[in-house]
Amino acid sequence: MAHQAHAYHMVDPSPWPLTGAVGALLLTSGLAIWFHFHSITLMTLGLMLLFLTMYQWWRDIIREGTFQGHHTPPVQKGLRYGMILFITSEVFFFLGFFWAFYHSSLAPTPELGGCWPPTGVTTLDPFEVPLLNTAVLLASGVTVTWAHHSLMENNRKQAIQSLTLTILLGLYFTTLQATEYYEAPFTIADGVYGSTFFVATGFHGLHVIIGSSFLAICLLRQIQYHFTSEHHFGFEAAAWYWHFVDVVWLFLYVSIYWWGS
Amino acid sequence: ASKILLRACRVTLMRRQHVLLRTPQRVMSAKGIPTDEEQAAGLERRVLQAMKKGQDPYSILKPKEYTGTRDDPHIVPSINNKRLVGCLCEEDNTAIVWFWLHEGNPQRCPSCGSHYELVHHELPH
């Protein structure tokens, strides 16, 4: 039997990159069709294909790593670099929206009344639901760290409890933010204030949902004994992502909700 | 997804009732999360087991430094009876001197004369 003499993972051929690319194509062109021709068929097809791709691709990675043992220490190191680079790219993504916000708010134009918040905009009180949201996310940062330590100390019951609590806090944030969106006295169409507010907080909310889903997958895997006390990189990646989401919120809160009010 | 979560919980709980005796043996670390020792598989397991014995059959760590003299030749591990060696005769050289190193008597780099010796080793499996 010919074994490799190196510790890296030469991946088997896989159809998921292709299905993902096709799904992305259908999603983007479907968006354009929806905007102009009022049909959601193509977009829905693209979304379904993308979700199927993600499910099967990541399922294959779990099979390769957890069940087949391909994730040796060097391979894990590469995965860590990958996650860090991805989160860095997301940081730059949000940096753009903060740039837009500060561009418009530091030098408000005459059309806005030369002031920020613009004339006629009733901002949300930063010390009401937004402050609660801040507390919720900070608490979830604590619970996810608790989960990590429980994992490393072989404590199954506490790992499951703290991870579940983290996810519940994430869902609580999403629910609170959704009601805030519904009750807000301004909309995305209300000038540059509305645009910067809803695009920045909206993308953040999407990332909270993504992060909560990632943590939920980790919870399922933890229940099914995938993680060991030394090797649980999937969980660490989810925790890093979650902390990133928390930090973005802190910047949003201080810049848009507090200073911008 | 919540259905999967509930089913996983139910199955795990059912398992726990049936296999009260088996679980402690399977997950020796008393509080329920396995260790790599218990659960690592495949190549990862082979790498970890070898590291525990102080070996590095998959060349993960930096190779040991040798002076390259006749009494302290560079030891080149190989799974075959010959291996390609690339000698950087001096630090920062950009021209690498490549040659095949065969098992048997140590050979010398054709450019700088450092000694190299092939040592056979088996991959764990």
Side-chain angles (χ1 to χ4, degrees):
Chain A
M1 184 152 53
H3 283 146
Q4 60 190 58
H6 61 82
Y8 296 102
H9 184 195
M10 305 302 286
V11 187
D12 290 330
S14 162
W16 313 131
L18 181 61
T19 61
V22 171
L25 172 66
L26 295 185
L27 175 64
T28 45
S29 45
L31 261 171
I33 299 287
W34 179 40
F35 293 158
H36 293 279
F37 302 114
H38 210 68
S39 159
I40 58 165
T41 317
L42 203 61
M43 183 176 71
T44 318
L45 196 53
L47 267 172
M48 284 180 40
L49 196 50
L50 271 181
F51 275 113
L52 278 172
T53 302
M54 288 191 277
Y55 175 73
Q56 291 173 110
W57 194 333
W58 283 323
R59 176 209 62 193
D60 282 355
I61 295 175
I62 292 172
R63 286 174 173 176
E64 292 160 3
T66 304
F67 302 147
Q68 296 181 328
H70 285 290
H71 290 180
T72 59
V75 171
Q76 236 198 94
K77 195 156 163 234
L79 293 169
R80 283 172 195 276
Y81 276 125
M83 192 66 195
I84 287 175
L85 288 171
F86 172 64
I87 292 178
T88 307
S89 76
E90 295 249 80
V91 167
F92 282 103
F93 180 70
F94 277 97
L95 232 57
F97 296 119
F98 278 100
W99 183 354
F101 169 73
Y102 278 111
H103 175 94
S104 298
S105 58
L106 284 169
T109 61
E111 290 86 350
L112 304 174
C115 55
W116 193 277
T119 311
V121 172
T122 352
T123 60
L124 300 169
D125 186 343
F127 297 109
E128 300 220 332
V129 174
L131 186 58
L132 173 59
N133 272 342
T134 307
V136 167
L137 280 186
L138 285 173
S140 71
V142 170
T143 54
V144 81
T145 308
W146 174 18
H148 193 194
H149 284 267
S150 307
L151 257 185
M152 294 189 286
E153 291 162 22
N154 299 92
N155 196 329
R156 177 181 167 82
K157 193 171 76 134
Q158 286 203 18
I160 292 175
Q161 284 175 344
S162 48
L163 188 45
T164 308
L165 193 46
T166 310
I167 297 165
L168 288 173
L169 286 168
L171 293 173
Y172 186 34
F173 175 95
T174 306
T175 313
L176 285 168
Q177 192 70 325
T179 54
E180 278 286 273
Y181 270 30
Y182 188 70
E183 302 286 335
F186 54 86
T187 71
I188 196 172
D190 286 323
V192 75
Y193 183 87
S195 299
T196 51
F197 180 90
F198 283 106
V199 169
T201 61
F203 271 117
H204 174 261
L206 176 65
H207 284 70
V208 171
I209 292 168
I210 293 169
S212 306
S213 309
F214 196 171
L215 289 166
I217 300 292
C218 288
L219 178 61
L220 282 173
R221 295 185 65 199
Q222 163 57 18
I223 289 171
Q224 311 223 307
Y225 298 96
H226 287 201
F227 299 133
T228 71
S229 45
E230 298 108 336
H231 187 171
H232 43 258
F233 175 65
F235 173 82
E236 288 185 63
W240 289 350
Y241 196 79
W242 193 250
H243 288 304
F244 154 71
V245 159
D246 189 7
V247 168
V248 170
W249 171 259
L250 294 174
F251 277 96
L252 278 174
Y253 180 72
V254 166
S255 309
I256 298 184
Y257 285 90
W258 196 351
W259 176 83
S261 69
Chain B
S2 56
K3 274 199 207 128
I4 303 176
L5 175 58
L6 288 171
R7 180 161 50 91
C9 285
R10 199 179 0 110
V11 167
T12 315
L13 285 169
M14 271 167 46
R15 266 200 219 123
R16 217 182 274 151
Q17 286 167 14
H18 291 310
V19 293
L20 264 173
L21 283 173
R22 229 184 333 135
T23 318
Q25 284 171 8
R26 178 160 66 97
V27 185
M28 290 182 320
S29 44
K31 289 179 285 181
I33 292 180
T35 60
D36 271 344
E37 174 59 49
E38 294 156 17
Q39 197 161 287
L43 182 60
E44 186 187 1
R45 186 172 196 85
R46 295 200 291 276
V47 166
L48 294 173
Q49 302 289 59
M51 291 241 162
K52 271 207 321 230
K53 290 190 272 189
Q55 297 164 354
D56 182 20
Y58 296 97
S59 307
I60 290 173
L61 304 169
K62 205 172 91 154
K64 273 177 42 182
E65 311 242 342
Y66 303 93
T67 53
T69 60
R70 191 156 48 112
D71 303 315
D72 183 33
H74 296 285
I75 303 294
V76 177
S78 173
I79 54 175
N80 291 322
N81 49 15
K82 66 181 196 299
R83 187 175 184 183
L84 261 180
V85 171
C87 185
L88 281 182
C89 302
E90 281 163 30
E91 195 179 4
D92 297 339
N93 274 5
T94 51
I96 302 172
V97 177
W98 299 100
F99 56 95
W100 281 105
L101 179 63
H102 297 265
E103 66 182 348
N105 293 327
Q107 291 162 225
R108 302 185 68 172
C109 167
S111 169
C112 69
S114 299
H115 294 77
Y116 290 87
E117 183 174 351
L118 195 80
V119 168
H120 196 84
H121 84 274
E122 284 288 332
L123 289 175
H125 52 101

